[in-house]
Amino acid sequence: MDAFTSFFDSQSRNTWSYDTLKNFRQISPIVQAHLKQVYLTLCCALIASAVGAYLHILWNIGGYLTTFACLGTIVWLLSTPPCEEQKRVSLLMASAVFEGASIGPLIDLAIQIDPSVLVASFVGTALAFACFSGAAMLARRREYLYLGGLLSSGVSVLLWLHFASSIFGGLLVFVGYMIVDTQDIIEKAHLGDLDYVKHALTLFTDFVAVFVRILIIMLKNSAEKSEKKKKRRD
């Protein structure tokens, strides 16, 4: 909790202005170009994931098989040398399609209950991702990397609780990972690691994790509201 408090305190001490938002002097031009490539690849992966979810809605393909296929393609991607760029990009897109199909049942449920919840969840996730990633870019180098240990402990606690009643906690943890992973990618790029495919995969995993948890929270709220309306009618 102290770590998250220090994050918001440090941001409030900064003088935020339009000039501040344009200040990327701590990020070299090479790293900036790398980040553009990472985020472009991330956007392509999100589109591929949407295609996977759509395929599930059409043919009901999402389930354990697509989940294992997603994990398999990720392992294949990580074991493929960076020199095989096209193959690694193809594997990333394939894993994104399988990931989209895997969360397809949840998306299909959201469409049946209230399609506006699905749109609101995606927009909320995109805004959170943009805000926290932007904060990580504007912060001093390595300022929030120490949060990695705290977040890993949080994941361990959630696993110990078997994710029961921990959806909100998981949301906070993975939002924190957005900050840590963004700074980690920037730091690695400064040190010469320009593997944009692997970095896009990291951010894609964070995005999907946050999106799923926001969607579950909003679906629960929507279900509770509908139950209250039914009780009032009765």
Side-chain angles (χ1 to χ4, degrees):
M1 183 62 69
D2 292 339
F4 284 103
T5 303
S6 64
F7 167 74
F8 290 106
D9 287 343
S10 64
Q11 296 305 313
S12 62
R13 287 194 295 267
N14 293 332
T15 303
W16 289 90
S17 64
Y18 181 67
D19 292 333
T20 305
L21 293 176
K22 295 190 298 180
N23 182 15
F24 288 94
R25 285 177 296 180
Q26 293 185 5
I27 304 177
S28 66
I30 295 176
V31 177
Q32 290 183 30
H34 172 67
L35 289 176
K36 290 178 182 178
Q37 199 170 19
V38 170
Y39 284 107
L40 178 61
T41 307
L42 172 63
C43 290
C44 294
L46 291 174
I47 294 172
S49 183
V51 171
Y54 181 68
L55 292 176
H56 168 78
I57 294 173
L58 288 179
W59 297 312
N60 194 29
I61 61 174
Y64 289 112
L65 288 178
T66 55
T67 301
F68 288 128
C70 177
L71 294 175
T73 51
I74 290 176
V75 172
W76 191 1
L77 187 158
L78 296 176
S79 61
T80 303
C83 59
E84 300 182 29
E85 183 178 341
Q86 291 185 349
K87 179 180 179 181
R88 298 176 86 242
V89 171
S90 299
L91 288 171
L92 174 61
M93 296 304 132
S95 65
V97 170
F98 288 132
E99 179 67 27
S102 299
I103 63 173
L106 179 63
I107 293 177
D108 192 18
L109 177 63
I111 293 175
Q112 293 177 12
I113 295 176
D114 186 358
S116 64
V117 171
L118 180 62
V119 176
S121 299
F122 181 80
V123 172
T125 305
L127 289 175
F129 188 85
C131 292
F132 285 100
S133 295
M137 290 180 188
L138 294 171
R140 293 187 298 273
R141 284 179 60 182
R142 300 184 295 273
E143 184 175 2
Y144 301 119
L145 291 181
Y146 72 94
L147 287 173
L150 177 65
L151 295 173
S152 298
S153 300
V155 171
S156 299
V157 171
L158 293 178
L159 289 172
W160 180 68
L161 293 173
H162 303 289
F163 293 95
S165 304
S166 302
I167 297 299
F168 186 73
L171 175 61
L172 293 178
V173 168
F174 284 104
V175 165
Y177 267 119
M178 286 182 176
I179 303 169
V180 173
D181 287 339
T182 300
Q183 279 211 328
D184 185 52
I185 288 170
I186 293 172
E187 190 59 27
K188 286 181 178 178
H190 277 293
L191 296 175
D193 182 0
L194 301 177
D195 188 352
Y196 71 92
V197 179
K198 183 175 68 176
H199 294 166
L201 173 63
T202 300
L203 295 180
F204 173 74
T205 304
D206 294 340
F207 191 99
V208 173
V210 172
F211 169 72
V212 167
R213 282 156 181 81
I214 291 178
L215 182 57
I216 291 174
I217 291 172
M218 295 192 71
L219 284 175
K220 286 183 176 180
N221 291 336
S222 179
E224 289 176 359
K225 289 180 181 178
S226 62
E227 288 180 2
K228 289 180 180 179
K229 288 181 179 180
K230 288 181 180 179
K231 289 181 180 180
R232 290 177 182 176
R233 291 175 182 176
D234 295 340

